[in-house]
Amino acid sequence: MNVLVLGAGQLARMMALAVKPLNINIRAFDVSSGNVVDPLTSNIIFNDLAQGIEFADFITAEFEHIDHQTLATCQASGKLRPASQAIKVGGDRRLEKSLLTQCAVANAQHKIIETKADFDQALNQLSFPLILKSALAGYDGKGQWRLKDKTTAEEVWLDIKAFFDGGEQGVKHAVIAEQMVPFDREVSLVGVRDSQGNTLVYPLTQNHHSKGVLSVSIATHVNEILQTQAQQVFDSIAKELDYVGVLAIEFFQVGEQLLVNEIAPRVHNSGHWTQQGADTCQFENHLRAVCDLPLGSTELIRPTAMINILGEDSVPNEILNVASTKLHWYGKSKRAGRKMGHINVSGKSEAQLASRLMLLANLLPEAAFDELKPYIAGYQNSLSS
Ligand code: AMP
């Protein structure tokens, strides 16, 4: 089976690694060069999209910010899974919010801002503090502003206006103003749906973000009430989109309630732990769904966590002395804050996982993993309380 992935980053690479034993060959469309490449070596296979489409039995995507012409061409081939509409929803917060409303799914109070009048209205209608997020092409904390109160409103508006003006011409830009949610935890659900409408979800994962970017995900046995709530949200969104493949949903947990933060129509960073903590990893399950193969079990086989390596191209070799630790590099060149690789670690129990995480936190350089130690200490405390 041959699959073309739109996007040639680490997610395409991890899909390729996961499904080679199934005899699924992955080629990746590099949207910046327009070439179709081998996702492991970056060697050019074809120099245009048309040949990539011709090669593929199915087409999927590893990210949602893909230009609409490319999506339309792939959709027209009848091979694209999930469908272009689902991919677009992930790339435009306006579409995402209207999907959540359509599915009656709880999320933060918000308002869409396209003009200064909308901005002023949002400031009067919503309660501070606010977070403002660009509707298009904003991710990992980029294209975001925070407002504690009205004192810096004018300054922030000028910045947003400059952001609109500097964006792609001929496109209607917007930001979404959202009330800050006083969450207890951030969690996410990764699940998979096949073309027959069958769904399976992984256990909820608790996530820590640092400067708007995911730094740690921990998957353990979870609260059944929250898991059921998250699964209901997954099922209704996936059904509404007639979704095929892996879909991730990020939530804010407030007490026993989950509010959706955002959805990602693809395999997700908070699901990398599934490579060693779940019966079938998210990358394999995505391709199983896309290629009409039976879905694999999403059961947790042992508590597992993932630590992102951001902006570093080496870590101390000693971390591999910590039992059940695995290192995954993406083969990218070093750049500040860039996702360069990740570390997965498991334990037979949550307590064992927590102590292995602490061993890792003590070995990793504090400058690059600055919030890791206090976060793991907090996780350890939560287990003993
Ligand atoms: P996002 O790009 O929407 O995932 O936002 C990045 C991070 O900013 C999230 O993971 C949260 O830590 C924080 N954040 C975003 N929206 C909100 C909100 N409405 N309330 C509180 N924190 C938020």
Side-chain angles (χ1 to χ4, degrees), residues 93 131 133 141 144 146 178-181 183 186 209 212 252 261-262:
R93 292 188 198 269
I131 180 163
K133 309 176 187 180
Q144 296 196 355
R146 292 182 186 219
E178 252 180 43
Q179 279 179 202
M180 287 294 276
V181 175
F183 58 79
E186 289 188 80
H209 291 80
F252 299 123
N261 173 24
E262 60 182 8

Side-chain angles (χ1 to χ4, degrees), residues 251-322:
F251 297 95
F252 299 123
Q253 180 191 342
V254 186
E256 295 279 86
Q257 208 209 347
L258 295 178
L259 300 178
V260 172
N261 173 24
E262 60 182 8
I263 63 175
R266 54 176 166 79
V267 290
H268 195 253
N269 196 171
S270 70
H272 291 0
W273 65 268
T274 61
Q275 289 171 316
Q276 75 182 51
D279 205 315
T280 313
C281 78
Q282 62 164 350
F283 303 103
E284 181 176 335
N285 252 337
H286 181 65
L287 271 308
R288 284 196 191 205
V290 165
C291 298
D292 276 335
L293 296 171
L295 300 181
S297 162
T298 49
E299 207 174 311
L300 180 84
I301 49 177
R302 48 187 179 164
T304 298
M306 182 229 53
I307 301 168
N308 261 343
I309 304 172
L310 303 169
E312 296 293 305
D313 60 1
S314 67
V315 288
N317 287 338
E318 291 70 37
I319 65 161
L320 294 174
N321 284 327
V322 177

